[in-house]
Each structure stands twice: as structure tokens, then as C-alpha cells.
Amino acid sequence: MNNQNHEDGTMDNGKNIIEIRGLKKSYDDGTIKALNGLNLEVKEGEFVSIMGPSGSGKSTLLNMIGALDIADEGTIEVAGIDLMKTSQLNEFRSKEIGFVFQMHNLIPNLTILENVEIPMYETDLSSKQMKDRAMELLKAVGLEDRADQIPTKLSGGQRQRVAIARALVNRPSIILADEPTGSLDSQTGDVILKLLRDLHEKENVTLVMITHEPYVGNMAERIVNVLDGKIQN
Amino acid sequence: MGIAIGIMVIVALGMVTGGLKQSTTSTLKAGAAEINVMQTGSGNFGSGRINETRVADIQSISGVKETAGLLKATNTSTSGSSVSTGSTGTSTGTGTTSAGSGGSGSFGGFSVTGMDPGKLSLAGIENVTGSLYSSTSENEVIIGKTASTDLNKSVGDTINLFGKDFTITGVYETGSFMTDGGVFMSLTTLQNLTSNNNTVSTIAVKINEDANTTEVSKSIETAYPNELSTTTAEAMAGRMNSALSTIDAASWAISLLAIIIGGVGVINTMIMSVFERTREIGVLKAVGWKERRILGMILGESVVLTIIAAVVGTIIAVVGVVTLLAFSFGGTIQPSFAPEIFLEAFVVAFAVGIIGGLYPAYRASRLSPTEALRYE
């Protein structure tokens, strides 16, 4: 990637998959301004780290990109869809976004395979197609032999690998990872980061990752610093 | 648990009242007498005294096809045998009886009926396994299916009634728990045994096909005012059905209460489940599940929960009712296994599952994904 980085978070070259202009979001009747006129552009296939102190607005930004929350003001277009106007947010999340959370958030009473299949329930795939696709992803994260086990039988790193498989299963345009190594030891964290980076390159999927760790952030192609609800680069 | 209890009540009471209804219907079977004639003021069946000549007298009344005199007696289990024949309450007979020991037939005693064997169809007895007693026989009886089972007696066995041994020549089954719990013998023999010569307790009257039951009944009462009263089988069945309807209503009231409690239990269980799985629901929303799918999932779980409760309640009810009726009533009341009883119970369970799960499912489907994912 040879994109020119501007201070306001916008870029010069390539096609934008995320375009945010003047995004504002406040909580508690406006007393907490989580996003305060934030601008950001992310190119298709880019790996971006979002860094910043606690309460700076990183997670709110990620939630806005993933359509888990709605902004108060501004414009946000992701994968060509205006999130301030569309009413099909579920469909957007299902098709375009894959989430990887800090806590893997697997469903404990379902098997590993079923956990990976969950996002496909909203698609038209047959149960065999769903199973084949889930197994393909489990193989990619090296857990195909654990498909019939429940999450409690896996280590933290293995659970996060399952979460990554789940995030990729619908072939999304963007992976949004919220501190994916935050609950792991450094060695396991490295394995997860390498896996994420490899899959990002192999699947040509855009990767937006929140992290506190400069070491983790430096693995990205671009670092975006957020402070007081704005981009600081 | 609440739903299981509710369903248990519905099934158990349904089986009992259904069994009683079947028995009532059986007493109305074709061939049985439409009118029973008793002594005026005698109250219950079998407690009055009518001169036997009235059997032939009534036969001559217009619309009457056939009549038969019946003498009813009770062979008690502990204090010997007795027959109640009229207001004087004559009690006769002595010997201890093996027949009454099971408490079969009428509760607290064993029903013995004297009747001409050629007229047994008027008592609802159509088919007899074995053979009938003869009208002059002094030591032969036929026994009802229920009594036969309870006393473990079959054709060829001997039964002691009023201190005298009788040979069982046949076993009959009418479907009426009262009739099937006793024995029938020759009218003359029972009259002699109980010192009630030329006397009967009731007269069974079968009318012509084109005759009207009510009109014939009135004709009999008009012909013998202050002496004879009549009861039609239809009116009797109506009274029994009315009583059963009351039981039905009571059972529904109890069931409704249990269902309301169970329904609140389902709502509570599902709300707790939604609370506990808030984060899980957040994940499902994050991966793109539509509100409709989440609503369906919670509703489905609610229905599965109530159906499991219904299965448990039904099993407890079936085992409980079968055991209770077998031991408490000597098998005289057969529980009903009509499919509609179970269908009704499962429809109720399904409805409670849907209604009880609706609010928790709605709450879950409306959860904000970010708040759900933050939930600890």
C-alpha cells in the first residue's frame, strides 16, 4: 500500500471502503461526546490500527463502522452503503462485516462448528454448504479437528481463532477487531495477530483493529490515533 | 414446573371424567331398557318393593314392548348378606361371603341382581362368555367383567353368595362400571334367598320403536299413582352428564389457575434466560441476525420448554390416574385414553409457550447490540 496519510485521517490513492465525515456521537444527553466531528477514510484491502487512550472514542468508532450503533450527526459510508440512511443494518452486518471481539464471545453451548456457522443462518446456503464453508475456515485457523467440541474445551487462543473463523465465514469486506489480543498472553497474541494478518492478505479483506499496544499497532499498514473523539494523525 | 402441574391436572381430570362419560354412554347402549320403574318414594334404585304382578300389568300399557322385573340385593363383605327391599329395610341372609371381600361392585358391598335370563338385554347384557343361568337354576350365576377380574373368578369357579355356593356359568361385560361390578342370577332364586317372594325392586321397560319415552313413562305413573315412579335412562344419563360437566368445569378452573401460574413461570424463566444470554444475543445481532430470527429463537425455546413440561405432566398424570383408579376404586372406573385429552393438553402447552415467550422474545429482539455486547 502506497497511500498518502493526511492528518485528518483521509488518504489520497485507491478506492475507499470506509468514508466518514464529521461524525458525532454523544451519550447521556450530550454530556459525553464520544465522537466529535471525526473524519476517516480507509482503502479497500488496507490494514489499519486505531489507537488511543481509554475513552478516546475508539470502540464507538468501530461500532459505527460495524453499524452496531447509529451516529447523531455526519456521514458514514461503508462498502458503498450510507449507514445513516439504510434500514437494512442487519443485512449489512451479515454481508459486509466480520467482528472479532476482545472476549471471543463464542456461544458456550454450541459446538465450535456451530459457532462458526451462526453468521450463515441469514444466508441462502444449504446446511451442507454451511458446514463445508465452516470447516474450510476451521481448517484455515488450524482447528478442523476440534469442530465437534464446545468452546470451554479450548484454550483462550484457540477460542479467538474460532472467533476469527466466524468473522470470515460470510466473506465480509471488512474485519473489525476490537483488541483481539487483549485477553491473551503475548505469545498467543502473536499467533492471533499473524493469523489475522495472513487471512487479511490471503482473502484481501480490509482489517480495522483497535489496540492499546504500540507493538501490535505497528503491525498494521497505517496507524490512526484517536483522541477526544477526533483523529489526531 | 407450573406448566407440568397444569398439564398434569388437565390430563388426569380428562382421563377420569372421560372414563366416567364412557361408562355413562355404555349404560345407554341399544337394547337396554329405556324406562326404569320403582316404588314411589323409594329413592335409589333397588331400595323399593314392587309386587311382581306389576311386571305383567305394565306390559299391557300402550307403547310398552317388553318388561322385566329385577330384584337387587347387596352381598356385604363383613356382616353377611343383606337385601334392601322397601322402606322396612328387611335385612336377610347370614353367611360370610367371599364375593364381597374385594369391595367390588357397589362400593361397600357386592351387587347381586335377580332377573329372568331371557330378559338380560334389558339390563344391557348382550354378550356373555360362557352360558347363561337357567330361570329355574338355584346355584348358577353370571358375573360382570370387573367383578370377575377383581375376585379372580371365571367360568366354572364357585362363588359364595348369601352363605350359599354358586357356580359361575358366564362372564358379561356392559361397559357400565356399576353393572359390571356385580352378578346376575335367577329372579326366583334371589327372591327365595332374600325372602322376597313375588317382589321385585325395579321393573325395566323397553318401549316400541315408534313410542315416546316420556309419554309411556307418564302412562305408567298415571296407571299406578302413588305406587310407581319412573326414571328414563335418558334423564339419568342427562343428570350424570350434568354432574360430569360440573367436574369438567372444575377441572378447567383448576387447570386454568395452574396454567396462569405456569405461564408466569415461563415468562420469568425466559426473561431470566434472555438476561443471562444478553451478550450472546448481542453477538447474534453483530453477526447479522435479524430481529425476526432472534424472536423466533426465544419463542421456539419457550415452546420447547413448555412441551417438555407437558410431556412430564402427561406421564405423571397417566401413571397417577391409572394407579389411583386401579387401587382406589377396585378397577370399576376405567380411565379414558381419548386422543383429544392429550391433544388438548399439548395445544394448551403450546399456547402457553407462545404467550409466555412473547414478551421475553420481544425484549431480546429489541436489545441494542452495543449494550448487549457490553453486558457483563
Side-chain angles (χ1 to χ4, degrees):
Chain A
M1 298 279 165
N2 297 312
N3 300 318
Q4 183 60 48
N5 213 355
H6 290 187
E7 280 194 359
D8 65 353
T10 61
M11 298 182 68
D12 288 337
N13 302 322
K15 186 184 171 192
N16 289 335
I17 194 162
I18 300 171
E19 276 190 13
I20 297 171
R21 295 271 181 273
L23 207 65
K24 289 186 180 178
K25 178 70 181 178
S26 57
Y27 297 103
D28 293 343
D29 295 327
T31 51
I32 299 170
K33 289 185 172 20
L35 297 180
N36 194 14
L38 184 142
N39 299 313
L40 177 67
E41 285 177 6
V42 176
K43 300 291 174 194
E44 208 171 295
E46 197 180 4
F47 178 3
V48 177
S49 281
I50 298 175
M51 297 189 71
S54 292
S56 59
K58 304 186 298 293
S59 291
T60 305
L61 173 60
L62 207 73
N63 288 341
M64 297 294 166
I65 298 169
L68 291 177
D69 210 347
I70 305 292
D72 298 331
E73 275 181 55
T75 61
I76 175 165
E77 199 174 299
V78 180
I81 296 165
D82 186 342
L83 298 186
M84 297 296 277
K85 288 180 182 167
T86 183
S87 58
Q88 307 293 316
L89 294 177
N90 294 308
E91 199 178 336
F92 163 78
R93 283 196 295 267
S94 173
K95 286 183 177 169
E96 306 294 346
I97 305 293
F99 284 100
V100 179
F101 304 99
Q102 180 177 354
M103 297 302 294
H104 49 82
N105 282 342
L106 298 180
I107 295 174
N109 52 347
L110 297 183
T111 65
I112 302 306
L113 181 70
E114 288 164 341
N115 265 286
V116 179
E117 285 178 338
I118 282 174
M120 291 187 282
Y121 287 2
E122 288 290 352
T123 66
D124 296 329
L125 296 177
S126 68
S127 55
K128 189 188 177 303
Q129 286 171 318
M130 285 199 279
K131 189 180 176 185
D132 290 347
R133 173 66 181 154
M135 284 306 293
E136 185 188 331
L137 262 303
L138 282 176
K139 198 172 175 184
V141 299
L143 288 171
E144 72 271 30
D145 56 336
R146 314 296 289 269
D148 295 328
Q149 293 187 351
I150 54 168
T152 48
K153 299 280 180 192
L154 304 185
S155 67
Q158 286 173 322
R159 289 178 207 179
Q160 199 60 299
R161 277 149 68 188
V162 176
I164 291 167
R166 181 180 64 188
L168 286 163
V169 80
N170 276 349
R171 296 186 175 86
S173 317
I174 305 165
I175 294 284
L176 300 176
D178 191 352
E179 302 206 44
T181 59
S183 62
L184 304 173
D185 60 77
S186 59
Q187 207 174 354
T188 313
D190 284 349
V191 174
I192 294 300
L193 285 172
K194 186 175 181 307
L195 179 67
L196 270 174
R197 199 170 55 185
D198 289 350
L199 289 170
H200 145 71
E201 284 167 2
K202 193 176 157 195
E203 307 268 337
N204 193 33
V205 63
T206 307
L207 179 57
V208 179
M209 180 174 69
I210 289 179
T211 182
H212 275 110
E213 301 285 338
Y215 151 73
V216 175
N218 286 332
M219 293 182 80
E221 293 153 3
R222 180 162 65 109
I223 297 173
V224 171
N225 288 301
V226 180
L227 188 68
D228 298 330
K230 285 183 175 177
I231 304 292
Q232 295 297 307
N233 297 54
Chain B
M1 188 62 186
I3 286 295
I5 292 169
I7 297 301
M8 187 186 76
V9 172
I10 293 174
V11 173
L13 294 179
M15 286 171 73
V16 173
T17 51
L20 286 168
K21 274 179 187 166
Q22 276 171 9
S23 182
T24 311
T25 311
S26 298
T27 61
L28 284 171
K29 64 200 283 186
E34 288 94 351
I35 301 167
N36 278 298
V37 180
M38 298 155 293
Q39 183 191 18
T40 302
S42 63
N44 300 321
F45 278 104
S47 62
R49 179 190 281 178
I50 304 169
N51 192 311
E52 199 178 346
T53 56
R54 293 291 180 232
V55 177
D57 293 341
I58 292 170
Q59 177 79 62
S60 61
I61 289 175
S62 171
V64 173
K65 185 181 179 185
E66 196 177 4
T67 57
L70 289 89
L71 181 63
K72 294 187 176 184
T74 306
N75 193 53
T76 56
S77 56
T78 53
S79 59
S81 313
S82 69
V83 59
S84 47
T85 53
S87 54
T88 52
T90 311
S91 186
T92 61
T94 49
T96 54
T97 65
S98 57
S101 57
S104 189
S106 54
F107 303 117
F110 186 77
S111 164
V112 181
T113 307
M115 194 176 185
D116 183 340
K119 302 283 181 85
L120 282 170
S121 66
L122 271 72
I125 299 172
E126 297 287 348
N127 298 309
V128 177
T129 309
S131 59
L132 295 175
Y133 51 85
S134 71
S135 57
T136 54
S137 164
E138 291 182 358
N139 59 355
E140 290 176 338
V141 291
I142 57 170
I143 189 166
K145 182 81 189 295
T146 310
S148 158
T149 307
D150 288 347
L151 300 172
N152 197 22
K153 299 274 184 190
S154 57
V155 176
D157 289 347
T158 302
I159 186 168
N160 189 284
L161 298 164
F162 306 102
K164 187 180 174 184
D165 283 340
F166 286 82
T167 303
I168 297 169
T169 61
V171 178
Y172 64 86
E173 186 174 11
T174 64
S176 160
F177 70 89
M178 290 173 78
T179 310
D180 290 350
V183 296
F184 277 70
M185 64 170 71
S186 154
L187 176 61
T188 319
T189 306
L190 188 59
Q191 283 172 333
N192 290 336
L193 270 173
T194 58
S195 305
N196 281 289
N197 293 330
N198 304 318
T199 303
V200 293
S201 328
T202 61
I203 300 169
V205 177
K206 184 155 185 62
I207 63 169
N208 289 322
E209 279 177 19
D210 56 352
N212 180 290
T213 311
T214 315
E215 283 175 12
V216 176
S217 282
K218 276 185 184 164
S219 299
I220 296 168
E221 287 182 352
T222 309
Y224 305 99
N226 302 320
E227 184 188 343
L228 300 179
S229 299
T230 60
T231 302
T232 62
E234 209 176 340
M236 223 180 113
R239 279 201 295 275
M240 285 179 83
N241 276 333
S242 167
L244 289 170
S245 296
T246 309
I247 296 171
D248 255 357
S251 87
W252 268 107
I254 296 165
S255 304
L256 191 68
L257 193 67
I259 286 161
I260 290 169
I261 295 166
V264 172
V266 169
I267 294 171
N268 185 51
T269 306
M270 295 315 296
I271 283 180
M272 288 307 292
S273 169
V274 168
F275 269 131
E276 284 166 11
R277 293 158 59 196
T278 300
R279 207 177 167 88
E280 198 176 296
I281 291 162
V283 172
L284 295 177
K285 290 203 145 194
V287 300
W289 274 35
K290 292 191 178 82
E291 289 180 358
R292 200 173 52 230
R293 185 175 289 276
I294 291 168
L295 194 87
M297 180 184 79
I298 303 292
L299 273 183
E301 286 174 10
S302 173
V303 169
V304 167
L305 185 78
T306 50
I307 295 294
I308 290 171
V311 171
V312 172
T314 302
I315 292 169
I316 295 171
V318 169
V319 172
V321 167
V322 169
T323 311
L324 191 74
L325 292 184
F327 290 103
S328 300
F329 297 98
T332 51
I333 303 170
Q334 292 299 315
S336 169
F337 288 96
E340 56 264 30
I341 296 169
F342 301 100
L343 188 70
E344 191 176 273
F346 278 86
V347 166
V348 167
F350 184 78
V352 170
I354 292 284
I355 295 165
L358 213 53
Y359 174 65
Y362 175 76
R363 270 182 70 127
S365 70
R366 302 295 295 174
L367 274 174
S368 150
T370 46
E371 281 174 27
L373 285 165
R374 272 201 298 268
Y375 189 83
E376 295 293 337

